[in-house]
Amino acid sequence: MSRVTLQEVLNHEITQKFVKRSGLAHAVSTAEHALKLAKVHGVNPDLAVKAAFLHDIGHYTWYRNGKWDYHLYKENDIHAIKGAERAHKLLIRLGEHPVDAKKIALAVLLHTDSYLPEGELHLDPLQKIVSLADQCDEEPEGNHHYKEIADDEAANRLKKLDQAIESHEDKNAQSASVS
């Protein structure tokens, strides 16, 4: 089974509709943070970057009187639940290995605890990376969702992430064959 690339994820109609609606610039930046964090913490960078890129794919736009209402969103949003479902469905359609698609979907589900009752979550390393990567790019009042990025710049930055992941996988394969 060949690796599903970020380019393939970006170009899918589901991504075009839902990731752009939730903030393409934020998704790309979060994926870049996830790559750095994954390397430092020994987490699979391919899974981390995909989960970080898709972490907000479940966003619904909460408006009141025609204007984005951050407080209404904070009170009612369950985007991580919807996002986990969308991410899983998208990745399966693209040919992602089902086990990896599930891991990514769970990281999307658990990237925030804003929709959960109070308590302590025990996240696995991938889930922690996605949550931290999201926090690295957050801005007050949800403004990170409104940063702008041109489509070609997003595609180029994701291509660089794909190349970095492939390079990382090649190094791991070489060191495994030497052992």
mmCIF file of all heavy atoms in Angstrom, residues 133-152:
data_model
loop_
_atom_site.group_PDB
_atom_site.id
_atom_site.type_symbol
_atom_site.label_atom_id
_atom_site.label_comp_id
_atom_site.label_asym_id
_atom_site.label_seq_id
_atom_site.Cartn_x
_atom_site.Cartn_y
_atom_site.Cartn_z
ATOM 1 N N ALA A 133 0.512 20.955 18.485
ATOM 2 C CA ALA A 133 0.686 21.658 17.215
ATOM 3 C C ALA A 133 -0.436 22.673 17.005
ATOM 4 O O ALA A 133 -0.194 23.795 16.544
ATOM 5 C CB ALA A 133 0.736 20.658 16.065
ATOM 6 N N ASP A 134 -1.649 22.289 17.351
ATOM 7 C CA ASP A 134 -2.786 23.202 17.241
ATOM 8 C C ASP A 134 -2.572 24.405 18.163
ATOM 9 O O ASP A 134 -2.771 25.559 17.766
ATOM 10 C CB ASP A 134 -4.079 22.472 17.589
ATOM 11 C CG ASP A 134 -5.324 23.328 17.431
ATOM 12 O OD1 ASP A 134 -5.346 24.244 16.591
ATOM 13 O OD2 ASP A 134 -6.310 23.057 18.147
ATOM 14 N N GLN A 135 -2.150 24.152 19.381
ATOM 15 C CA GLN A 135 -1.923 25.239 20.342
ATOM 16 C C GLN A 135 -0.830 26.188 19.866
ATOM 17 O O GLN A 135 -0.898 27.393 20.133
ATOM 18 C CB GLN A 135 -1.558 24.665 21.705
ATOM 19 C CG GLN A 135 -2.704 23.955 22.388
ATOM 20 C CD GLN A 135 -2.257 23.208 23.629
ATOM 21 O OE1 GLN A 135 -1.289 23.594 24.284
ATOM 22 N NE2 GLN A 135 -2.952 22.128 23.953
ATOM 23 N N CYS A 136 0.165 25.673 19.147
ATOM 24 C CA CYS A 136 1.260 26.514 18.641
ATOM 25 C C CYS A 136 0.766 27.585 17.681
ATOM 26 O O CYS A 136 1.392 28.632 17.538
ATOM 27 C CB CYS A 136 2.308 25.661 17.922
ATOM 28 S SG CYS A 136 3.326 24.652 18.998
ATOM 29 N N ASP A 137 -0.343 27.327 17.000
ATOM 30 C CA ASP A 137 -0.825 28.269 15.985
ATOM 31 C C ASP A 137 -2.071 29.031 16.416
ATOM 32 O O ASP A 137 -2.563 29.872 15.670
ATOM 33 C CB ASP A 137 -1.100 27.519 14.669
ATOM 34 C CG ASP A 137 -1.193 28.460 13.492
ATOM 35 O OD1 ASP A 137 -0.219 29.201 13.245
ATOM 36 O OD2 ASP A 137 -2.244 28.480 12.821
ATOM 37 N N GLU A 138 -2.589 28.774 17.603
ATOM 38 C CA GLU A 138 -3.831 29.430 18.043
ATOM 39 C C GLU A 138 -3.636 30.921 18.258
ATOM 40 O O GLU A 138 -2.564 31.374 18.638
ATOM 41 C CB GLU A 138 -4.336 28.798 19.342
ATOM 42 C CG GLU A 138 -5.039 27.506 19.112
ATOM 43 C CD GLU A 138 -5.651 26.930 20.387
ATOM 44 O OE1 GLU A 138 -5.436 27.483 21.474
ATOM 45 O OE2 GLU A 138 -6.344 25.916 20.268
ATOM 46 N N GLU A 139 -4.723 31.654 18.020
ATOM 47 C CA GLU A 139 -4.769 33.089 18.284
ATOM 48 C C GLU A 139 -6.038 33.370 19.077
ATOM 49 O O GLU A 139 -7.011 32.617 18.996
ATOM 50 C CB GLU A 139 -4.792 33.868 16.965
ATOM 51 C CG GLU A 139 -3.513 33.728 16.165
ATOM 52 C CD GLU A 139 -3.559 34.488 14.848
ATOM 53 O OE1 GLU A 139 -4.494 35.287 14.630
ATOM 54 O OE2 GLU A 139 -2.645 34.277 14.043
ATOM 55 N N PRO A 140 -6.058 34.458 19.840
ATOM 56 C CA PRO A 140 -7.242 34.789 20.648
ATOM 57 C C PRO A 140 -8.515 34.893 19.795
ATOM 58 O O PRO A 140 -8.464 35.300 18.633
ATOM 59 C CB PRO A 140 -6.888 36.150 21.259
ATOM 60 C CG PRO A 140 -5.400 36.218 21.208
ATOM 61 C CD PRO A 140 -4.980 35.425 20.012
ATOM 62 N N GLU A 141 -9.627 34.511 20.407
ATOM 63 C CA GLU A 141 -10.950 34.615 19.786
ATOM 64 C C GLU A 141 -11.083 33.815 18.495
ATOM 65 O O GLU A 141 -11.929 34.113 17.661
ATOM 66 C CB GLU A 141 -11.316 36.084 19.527
ATOM 67 C CG GLU A 141 -11.322 36.958 20.764
ATOM 68 C CD GLU A 141 -12.460 36.633 21.725
ATOM 69 O OE1 GLU A 141 -13.617 36.613 21.298
ATOM 70 O OE2 GLU A 141 -12.164 36.386 22.909
ATOM 71 N N GLY A 142 -10.238 32.807 18.311
ATOM 72 C CA GLY A 142 -10.340 31.957 17.124
ATOM 73 C C GLY A 142 -9.845 32.600 15.848
ATOM 74 O O GLY A 142 -10.139 32.111 14.748
ATOM 75 N N ASN A 143 -9.064 33.678 15.953
ATOM 76 C CA ASN A 143 -8.620 34.401 14.758
ATOM 77 C C ASN A 143 -7.696 33.580 13.861
ATOM 78 O O ASN A 143 -7.543 33.909 12.684
ATOM 79 C CB ASN A 143 -7.947 35.715 15.146
ATOM 80 C CG ASN A 143 -8.951 36.718 15.653
ATOM 81 O OD1 ASN A 143 -10.109 36.724 15.238
ATOM 82 N ND2 ASN A 143 -8.530 37.570 16.581
ATOM 83 N N HIS A 144 -7.095 32.527 14.383
ATOM 84 C CA HIS A 144 -6.223 31.687 13.546
ATOM 85 C C HIS A 144 -6.998 31.033 12.403
ATOM 86 O O HIS A 144 -6.409 30.660 11.404
ATOM 87 C CB HIS A 144 -5.513 30.633 14.399
ATOM 88 C CG HIS A 144 -6.407 29.825 15.272
ATOM 89 N ND1 HIS A 144 -6.926 30.312 16.459
ATOM 90 C CD2 HIS A 144 -6.889 28.572 15.145
ATOM 91 C CE1 HIS A 144 -7.678 29.396 17.026
ATOM 92 N NE2 HIS A 144 -7.681 28.325 16.237
ATOM 93 N N HIS A 145 -8.303 30.918 12.538
ATOM 94 C CA HIS A 145 -9.117 30.327 11.479
ATOM 95 C C HIS A 145 -9.327 31.288 10.304
ATOM 96 O O HIS A 145 -9.815 30.886 9.266
ATOM 97 C CB HIS A 145 -10.478 29.890 12.022
ATOM 98 C CG HIS A 145 -10.372 28.765 12.982
ATOM 99 N ND1 HIS A 145 -10.067 27.480 12.598
ATOM 100 C CD2 HIS A 145 -10.503 28.727 14.333
ATOM 101 C CE1 HIS A 145 -10.024 26.704 13.654
ATOM 102 N NE2 HIS A 145 -10.276 27.435 14.719
ATOM 103 N N TYR A 146 -8.941 32.528 10.467
ATOM 104 C CA TYR A 146 -9.189 33.537 9.435
ATOM 105 C C TYR A 146 -7.920 34.056 8.786
ATOM 106 O O TYR A 146 -7.959 34.995 8.010
ATOM 107 C CB TYR A 146 -10.038 34.680 10.022
ATOM 108 C CG TYR A 146 -11.377 34.131 10.420
ATOM 109 C CD1 TYR A 146 -11.632 33.776 11.740
ATOM 110 C CD2 TYR A 146 -12.346 33.873 9.466
ATOM 111 C CE1 TYR A 146 -12.849 33.215 12.101
ATOM 112 C CE2 TYR A 146 -13.559 33.306 9.815
ATOM 113 C CZ TYR A 146 -13.801 32.980 11.125
ATOM 114 O OH TYR A 146 -14.991 32.402 11.477
ATOM 115 N N LYS A 147 -6.776 33.426 9.091
ATOM 116 C CA LYS A 147 -5.545 33.797 8.400
ATOM 117 C C LYS A 147 -5.690 33.380 6.934
ATOM 118 O O LYS A 147 -6.340 32.389 6.624
ATOM 119 C CB LYS A 147 -4.340 33.090 9.021
ATOM 120 C CG LYS A 147 -4.040 33.537 10.430
ATOM 121 C CD LYS A 147 -2.720 33.010 10.957
ATOM 122 C CE LYS A 147 -2.637 31.513 10.967
ATOM 123 N NZ LYS A 147 -1.421 30.993 11.592
ATOM 124 N N GLU A 148 -5.067 34.123 6.065
ATOM 125 C CA GLU A 148 -5.173 33.867 4.631
ATOM 126 C C GLU A 148 -3.914 33.173 4.111
ATOM 127 O O GLU A 148 -2.817 33.408 4.613
ATOM 128 C CB GLU A 148 -5.365 35.185 3.871
ATOM 129 C CG GLU A 148 -6.643 35.920 4.218
ATOM 130 C CD GLU A 148 -7.888 35.244 3.676
ATOM 131 O OE1 GLU A 148 -7.820 34.653 2.587
ATOM 132 O OE2 GLU A 148 -8.932 35.307 4.361
ATOM 133 N N ILE A 149 -4.112 32.349 3.096
ATOM 134 C CA ILE A 149 -3.007 31.725 2.376
ATOM 135 C C ILE A 149 -3.487 31.449 0.958
ATOM 136 O O ILE A 149 -4.631 31.031 0.751
ATOM 137 C CB ILE A 149 -2.532 30.419 3.069
ATOM 138 C CG1 ILE A 149 -1.238 29.898 2.439
ATOM 139 C CG2 ILE A 149 -3.617 29.363 3.058
ATOM 140 C CD1 ILE A 149 -0.593 28.746 3.208
ATOM 141 N N ALA A 150 -2.622 31.699 -0.001
ATOM 142 C CA ALA A 150 -2.956 31.398 -1.394
ATOM 143 C C ALA A 150 -2.906 29.886 -1.600
ATOM 144 O O ALA A 150 -2.110 29.186 -0.951
ATOM 145 C CB ALA A 150 -1.969 32.092 -2.325
ATOM 146 N N ASP A 151 -3.750 29.378 -2.471
ATOM 147 C CA ASP A 151 -3.795 27.939 -2.740
ATOM 148 C C ASP A 151 -2.436 27.388 -3.161
ATOM 149 O O ASP A 151 -2.030 26.316 -2.712
ATOM 150 C CB ASP A 151 -4.831 27.619 -3.820
ATOM 151 C CG ASP A 151 -6.261 27.775 -3.323
ATOM 152 O OD1 ASP A 151 -6.477 27.902 -2.102
ATOM 153 O OD2 ASP A 151 -7.173 27.758 -4.175
ATOM 154 N N ASP A 152 -1.716 28.123 -4.019
ATOM 155 C CA ASP A 152 -0.424 27.617 -4.492
ATOM 156 C C ASP A 152 0.618 27.603 -3.376
ATOM 157 O O ASP A 152 1.446 26.694 -3.298
ATOM 158 C CB ASP A 152 0.073 28.369 -5.723
ATOM 159 C CG ASP A 152 0.267 29.858 -5.503
ATOM 160 O OD1 ASP A 152 -0.319 30.434 -4.566
ATOM 161 O OD2 ASP A 152 1.021 30.468 -6.302
#
